[in-house]
C-alpha cells in the first residue's frame, strides 16, 4: 500500500497527465493560477467499503484540491481470485495499477468486433472461433500499467495473481464528455454494490442494509425478461437485490473468459 506522501506524488502526476490528455480544453472550470501544486497536501481516504474479496476506498470529491483539479479518486484493492464487477462512469477514467497483475475487460458500445484472438490449445480453427469473445476487449495488466476508459465504457478487473491488485482510478468529472453534473458516479451492471461517493463520512461494512444499486433495478422484471428473452428468475438474479457482497466478489475456481495470450502482455 502506498504511503500518503507517495500517493500524493502519484495523484499529482496522474492529474497532470489526465488533464493534459483528456481535458486540456476545460479551462472554464477554474481561473489561471487557482491550483497551486506547492499547496497540495497528502490526504487519506475518507470512505472505506469492505467487499467480499477486497476494499473500495474513496477521497472526498468535495475537497478543494479535487474540486480545483476537476477529478475524483478511487482506490480498489482486489484480493486473489477477486473480481471487480462490471461498471461504468459518467466521466472518463484513468486507471493506474499500483500493484499486482490480472486481466481486465472493456465493452465499447457500437463496436461488436473488438477483441478477436482464439485461445491457444490446438482445438482447430472452428473450435478456436467458438472461444472468441466479440463483445469486449480483454487485456492483461501488471504493476505500472496505465489505461484510459472513455465515459460510459463498462469495464471489469480480475486478479489472477498471487498478490492483491491495487488500482488507483481518477475520474475526470470536469471533462466535456461528462453529460451529468460534476458529482462522480458509478453505474453497476452486476451485483448490488454500495455507491462509494455518496457517504463520504460514514464507514460502511460488508453485509449492511442498502437499496438496490444495480442498473437493472430501474426496470420492471417482466420487461427485462422480454427484452433479454429469458425467464423472470434469471432477471431477478441479474437485479441482485439481496446481494451484499459488494463491488468486489470472489470467483470460485477460475474466471471463465477468453484470455489473450501472455505474449501480448502490456
Amino acid at each position: 500500500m502506498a504511503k500518503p506522501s507517495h500517493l500524493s506524488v502519484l495523484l499529482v502526476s496522474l492529474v497532470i497527465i489526465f488533464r493534459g490528455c483528456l481535458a486540456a480544453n476545460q479551462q472554464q472550470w477554474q481561473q489561471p493560477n487557482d491550483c497551486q501544486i506547492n499547496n497540495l497536501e497528502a490526504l487519506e481516504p475518507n470512505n472505506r467499503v469492505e467487499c467480499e474479496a477486497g476494499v473500495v476506498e474513496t477521497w472526498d470529491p468535495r475537497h478543494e484540491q479535487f474540486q480545483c483539479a476537476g477529478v475524483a479518486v478511487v482506490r480498489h484493492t482486489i484480493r486473489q481470485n477477486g473480481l471487480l464487477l462490471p461498471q461504468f462512469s459518467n466521466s472518463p477514467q484513468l486507471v493506474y495499477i499500483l500493484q499486482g497483475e490480472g486481466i481486465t475487460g472493456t465493452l465499447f458500445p457500437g463496436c461488436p468486433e473488438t477483441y478477436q484472438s482464439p485461445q491457444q490449445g490446438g482445438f482447430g480453427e472452428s473450435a478456436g472461433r467458438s472461444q472468441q469473445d466479440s463483445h469486449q476487449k480483454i487485456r492483461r495488466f501488471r504493476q505500472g500499467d496505465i489505461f484510459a476508459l472513455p465515459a460510459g465504457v463498462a469495464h471489469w478487473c480480475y486478479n489472477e495473481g498471487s498478490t492483491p491488485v491495487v488500482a488507483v482510478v481518477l475520474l475526470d468529472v470536469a471533462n466535456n464528455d461528462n453529460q451529468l453534473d460534476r458529482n462522480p458516479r458509478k453505474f453497476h451492471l452486476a451485483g448490488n454494490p454500495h455507491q462509494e461517493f455518496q457517504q463520504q463520512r460514514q464507514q460502511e461494512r460488508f453485509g449492511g442494509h442498502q437499496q438496490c444499486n444495480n442498473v437493472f433495478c430501474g426496470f420492471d422484471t417482466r420487461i427485462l425478461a422480454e427484452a433479454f428473452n429469458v425467464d423472470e428468475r434469471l432477471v431477478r438474479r441479474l437485479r441482485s437485490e439481496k446481494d451484499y457482497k459488494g463491488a468486489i466478489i470472489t470467483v470460485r475456481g477460475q474466471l471463465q473468459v477468453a484470455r489473450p495470450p501472455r505474449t501480448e502482455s502490456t
Side-chain angles (χ1 to χ4, degrees):
M1 193 69 66
K3 296 181 179 179
S5 58
H6 296 163
L7 188 58
S8 177
V9 174
L10 170 65
L11 294 181
V12 170
S13 302
L14 290 178
V15 166
I16 293 174
I17 296 173
F18 202 43
R19 301 297 290 153
C21 296
L22 299 178
N25 61 340
Q26 306 299 311
Q27 297 180 1
Q28 67 270 26
W29 291 110
Q30 64 267 337
Q31 297 298 322
N33 300 321
D34 277 357
C35 301
Q36 299 292 335
I37 292 182
N38 58 344
N39 292 333
L40 288 177
E41 300 177 1
L43 302 174
E44 292 285 356
N46 302 88
N47 192 40
R48 177 185 175 91
V49 179
E50 295 282 350
C51 305
E52 181 188 43
V55 180
V56 179
E57 298 170 292
T58 58
W59 282 255
D60 188 353
R62 297 167 298 182
H63 191 281
E64 59 181 1
Q65 293 182 167
F66 299 117
Q67 287 286 313
C68 188
V71 300
V73 183
V74 185
R75 182 168 62 197
H76 295 123
T77 301
I78 309 171
R79 292 193 284 268
Q80 185 177 9
N81 293 328
L83 172 67
L84 177 66
L85 293 171
Q87 56 186 259
F88 64 91
S89 176
N90 54 303
S91 56
Q93 303 177 72
L94 193 69
V95 183
Y96 174 70
I97 305 300
L98 194 64
Q99 173 184 300
E101 61 179 350
I103 56 177
T104 180
T106 53
L107 292 78
F108 292 90
C111 299
E113 301 299 329
T114 53
Y115 183 77
Q116 290 283 21
S117 179
Q119 286 186 334
Q120 297 175 346
F123 294 101
E125 183 179 354
S126 60
R129 278 198 296 266
S130 66
Q131 298 284 345
Q132 294 174 354
D133 191 336
S134 60
H135 302 287
Q136 59 183 324
K137 179 173 290 186
I138 302 176
R139 293 175 174 171
R140 297 187 182 275
F141 65 80
R142 59 188 177 186
Q143 180 177 349
D145 284 350
I146 299 178
F147 49 92
L149 298 170
V153 170
H155 75 287
W156 52 265
C157 288
Y158 173 64
N159 180 1
E160 62 176 2
S162 57
T163 59
V165 167
V166 180
V168 178
V169 183
L170 265 73
L171 295 87
D172 187 12
V173 295
N175 194 287
N176 277 338
D177 288 341
N178 178 10
Q179 299 298 301
L180 303 178
D181 55 34
R182 296 184 66 181
N183 294 318
R185 294 180 176 87
K186 292 291 186 70
F187 301 90
H188 302 277
L189 301 178
N192 187 22
H194 292 272
Q195 288 291 344
E196 55 262 26
F197 284 108
Q198 292 186 359
Q199 298 186 17
Q200 291 293 329
R201 299 179 181 179
Q202 176 180 340
Q203 293 292 325
E204 297 181 349
R205 297 293 299 174
F206 160 66
H209 176 72
Q210 65 184 87
Q211 63 180 1
C212 183
N213 287 320
N214 188 309
V215 295
F216 295 117
C217 294
F219 299 90
D220 181 77
T221 302
R222 181 179 54 83
I223 294 178
L224 288 176
E226 293 178 357
F228 294 142
N229 193 26
V230 297
D231 59 49
E232 294 190 14
R233 290 178 297 177
L234 180 56
V235 170
R236 284 191 287 271
R237 293 182 60 185
L238 288 173
R239 290 163 63 100
S240 305
E241 295 182 24
K242 297 182 179 180
D243 188 330
Y244 302 110
K245 297 178 181 179
I248 308 172
I249 66 171
T250 299
V251 176
R252 312 300 177 188
Q254 189 180 50
L255 183 67
Q256 299 299 314
V257 66
R259 286 174 167 78
R262 289 193 177 274
T263 55
E264 295 184 6
S265 298
T266 55

